[in-house]
Amino acid sequence: MTTEAPAGFDAARAVADAVLYEGYLLYPYRRSSGKNRVRWQFGVLAPPGWTAEQPAAGAPGVSGSADGSFQQADCLLEAPGSATVFLRLRFLQMIRRRVEQRDASGRFGPVDELEVDGTRELSFDEGRPCEVDFTVALADLIDPERGPLSIPLLVPGGVDIEPLGPRPGEARVVRRRWPVAAVVHLSATRAEAPFRLHRLRVVVENTVADLAAGRPRAEALRRSLIAAHSLLGVRGGRFLSLLDPPAWAATAARACENLRVFPVLAGGARDVMLCSPIILYDDPRTAPESPGDLFDATEIDEILSLRTAALTEEEKREARATDRRAAEILDRVDGIPRAMLDRLHGAVRSLRPVEPPPAPPAADAGAHADAGVHADAQRRPAAAGQPDPDPYPQWWEPEADRSVHPDRDSVLVAGVTVARGSRVRLRPRPRGSDAHDMFLAGRVARVEAIFLDVDGTRHAAVTLDGDGAGDLHRAAGRYFYFAPDELDPLDVPTDADRTGAP
């Protein structure tokens, strides 16, 4: 049995690191910042005795934003029994960093902060990254006589002492970590599908039993797996997407039960799944322009870099004293070359061929019109001397906005053309509508535009008749939005209405 993990593990590491350090320390990366006084918000697996006493302890969802004692990931694996399954569990172990100074009696005592030889030192909590790898044959997991494979895990505690300054006997930093115990359960069962398909389940559970209930969260974090997530890999098989499974595996995908974790395809292939406490999409990637981690993985690098560079020298000094990883961010931002900063300003990545695909036959356009959308809203002739545009650009393409014209597009409602200027009566659906919409039932409104969302669905933007703030809403583009089947047409817009004339 091969023990070499799939190459996708390395390819997915950048995203996995972003998950590991998401929220570790947020801009402006200083201890005094209010948002950095409540840390460790994702994937916290705390001692079960402590979590049972928490008010928020209820039925878990797929997000790991609430503290819990375990997480469960279900994945769909298409593979023979000879396949090999890999698991890499990753998390942070909290470390209490305490600055100490020798007092007059010769004993070391804790201090909140200290300046030693021109360097400021602060007492603060750090995170130590931990990784544990497991390899198992799929045949061992699907053997009914064996049952689930349970693997205990113990991360020991310890104390590290770092002398400070030119006189080591006067000041020091003491880093203390507490032991963390956990167990990993691995199992595989046959999934409901017409082809060979297995449901692979991974449960990671905190088993610390000596933390008394009712203790402060700060103490529970010392015995927790923080930002816990895992990478699942396979050799000799492939994973199926849970977000977009093939039709034959849709029922099996719905049967997967993911608790406090969200598995997605990762690493650019189908042999790796990232089981993340943060909800992601398949094959997530960090931008190649990003020069390094910022701990705010879902924010915009350029904005954070510019704002970090704009910190005062005293603020930077405090950030450097707060955490060594924060100091690395400041050093990187202060030394970022102009060319790299320009790269952070943005990039265009086209997802379609340079040459547009051939235009669809005229019958297709008519089919769209029959469905309630006018053909002129889907396809318009190119300007003289210009190449024929792609009639159906994807929503992410720059040309997509040019294929729709909210102020001129229309939609058929009960055989009546509804466009800008149409007057309609609102009748929100009893289910599936915004609760606020129900208060507008029966009101008469004026259609201001017809919008197309990324799913290809039309929406009418309206302002209410008799609303004194209607002109203000119209000027600011603040509308109420209704689906075509929530409208009763009252009349046909005039030419003046269509052109926007008073």
Side-chain angles (χ1 to χ4, degrees):
M1 180 177 66
T2 179
T3 59
E4 184 180 354
F9 272 27
D10 291 334
R13 176 170 285 277
V15 172
D17 285 346
V19 170
L20 185 67
Y21 287 107
E22 172 67 33
Y24 171 86
L25 190 67
L26 299 174
Y27 171 87
Y29 311 122
R30 304 195 312 268
R31 186 186 68 170
S32 60
S33 174
K35 59 188 174 184
N36 285 322
R37 297 176 186 177
V38 183
R39 302 168 70 197
W40 324 116
Q41 298 301 314
F42 298 98
V44 174
L45 303 185
W50 181 83
T51 58
E53 300 292 327
Q54 298 309 300
V62 296
S63 170
S65 58
D67 299 343
S69 62
F70 73 96
Q71 60 181 208
Q72 174 180 297
D74 279 356
C75 304
L76 294 181
L77 176 60
E78 190 178 13
S82 58
T84 305
V85 175
F86 303 85
L87 169 65
R88 176 169 294 169
L89 176 63
R90 310 175 80 235
F91 58 92
L92 296 176
Q93 180 186 22
M94 201 192 83
I95 296 177
R96 177 60 176 164
R97 187 185 76 211
R98 189 170 69 179
V99 180
E100 296 184 352
Q101 186 177 28
R102 190 184 296 276
D103 58 22
S105 66
R107 296 181 177 180
F108 280 100
V111 294
D112 185 58
E113 63 177 280
L114 187 67
E115 186 158 332
V116 180
D117 198 25
T119 300
R120 188 179 180 186
E121 300 286 349
L122 299 176
S123 295
F124 201 56
D125 291 338
E126 300 175 337
R128 173 176 173 259
C130 301
E131 280 190 7
V132 185
D133 285 355
F134 306 97
T135 304
V136 61
L138 180 59
D140 293 339
L141 298 179
I142 60 180
D143 186 348
E145 295 183 0
R146 290 176 178 264
L149 176 65
S150 297
I151 308 170
L153 172 66
L154 176 63
V155 181
V159 177
D160 298 315
I161 299 177
E162 175 189 356
L164 294 177
R167 301 171 62 184
E170 298 298 323
R172 65 186 187 182
V173 171
V174 178
R175 291 179 171 85
R176 182 181 178 186
R177 59 189 185 276
W178 286 260
V180 177
V183 62
V184 178
H185 304 286
L186 273 168
S187 62
T189 56
R190 181 67 184 266
E192 183 181 350
F195 307 111
R196 180 173 52 198
L197 189 65
H198 297 96
R199 183 182 66 185
L200 181 64
R201 172 168 291 181
V202 179
V203 178
V204 182
E205 180 184 0
N206 188 313
T207 57
V208 171
D210 58 350
L211 180 73
R215 301 303 300 167
R217 185 173 186 265
E219 292 188 23
L221 287 172
R222 299 171 183 171
R223 311 297 303 278
S224 299
L225 289 75
I226 299 172
H229 63 281
S230 56
L231 287 167
L232 279 171
V234 63
R235 284 198 177 276
R238 66 167 187 159
F239 291 102
L240 301 185
S241 169
L242 297 181
L243 294 174
D244 187 22
W248 61 268
T251 300
R254 287 192 295 268
C256 289
E257 187 178 15
N258 289 292
L259 306 175
R260 299 192 182 94
V261 71
F262 195 75
V264 293
L265 294 171
R270 296 196 174 257
D271 58 352
V272 173
M273 293 287 280
L274 170 60
C275 304
S276 164
I278 301 171
I279 295 177
L280 301 171
Y281 46 85
D282 279 333
D283 199 20
R285 302 185 186 186
T286 58
E289 293 81 12
S290 298
D293 297 330
L294 286 167
F295 308 145
D296 314 79
T298 57
E299 303 294 336
I300 301 173
D301 285 28
E302 181 185 30
I303 294 176
L304 286 173
S305 297
L306 291 174
R307 295 192 68 175
T308 300
L311 294 173
T312 66
E313 290 304 316
E314 179 57 30
E315 290 171 333
K316 292 181 180 179
R317 199 162 169 266
E318 181 189 352
R320 287 191 170 92
T322 296
D323 187 85
R324 62 181 179 84
R325 291 183 176 87
E328 293 171 359
I329 291 176
L330 266 68
D331 292 341
R332 185 172 67 243
V333 169
D334 284 347
I336 189 170
R338 179 56 188 265
M340 184 174 292
L341 190 60
D342 289 343
R343 290 183 65 200
L344 294 181
H345 191 60
V348 175
R349 299 182 179 90
S350 178
L351 298 182
R352 66 184 172 109
V354 176
E355 293 296 330
D364 287 353
H368 283 280
D370 292 340
V373 180
H374 277 286
D376 65 339
Q378 292 291 327
R379 177 175 174 82
R380 293 180 173 81
Q386 298 296 321
D388 192 26
D390 180 357
Y392 304 108
Q394 299 296 329
W395 63 267
W396 56 75
E397 296 291 348
E399 292 295 322
D401 287 344
R402 301 186 185 183
S403 68
V404 294
H405 297 267
D407 58 336
R408 300 202 304 269
D409 287 346
S410 60
V411 64
L412 285 178
V413 179
V416 178
T417 300
V418 173
R420 181 183 178 188
S422 297
R423 294 177 69 251
V424 296
R425 190 177 301 278
L426 305 177
R427 50 179 185 86
R429 294 185 296 264
R431 294 182 179 274
S433 296
D434 189 298
H436 184 271
D437 291 350
M438 306 309 297
F439 294 100
L440 305 180
R443 293 288 299 270
V444 175
R446 180 186 187 273
V447 175
E448 303 293 342
I450 301 295
F451 287 97
L452 179 71
D453 67 18
V454 297
D455 295 320
T457 304
R458 296 280 168 172
H459 301 273
V462 304
T463 53
L464 301 176
D465 278 11
D467 185 356
D471 290 340
L472 181 62
H473 291 165
R474 191 176 296 111
R478 301 295 297 270
Y479 304 123
F480 296 101
Y481 294 88
F482 289 87
D485 63 358
E486 297 179 297
L487 309 176
D488 280 334
L490 296 180
D491 55 24
V492 178
T494 64
D495 291 340
D497 289 327
R498 287 189 181 278
T499 58

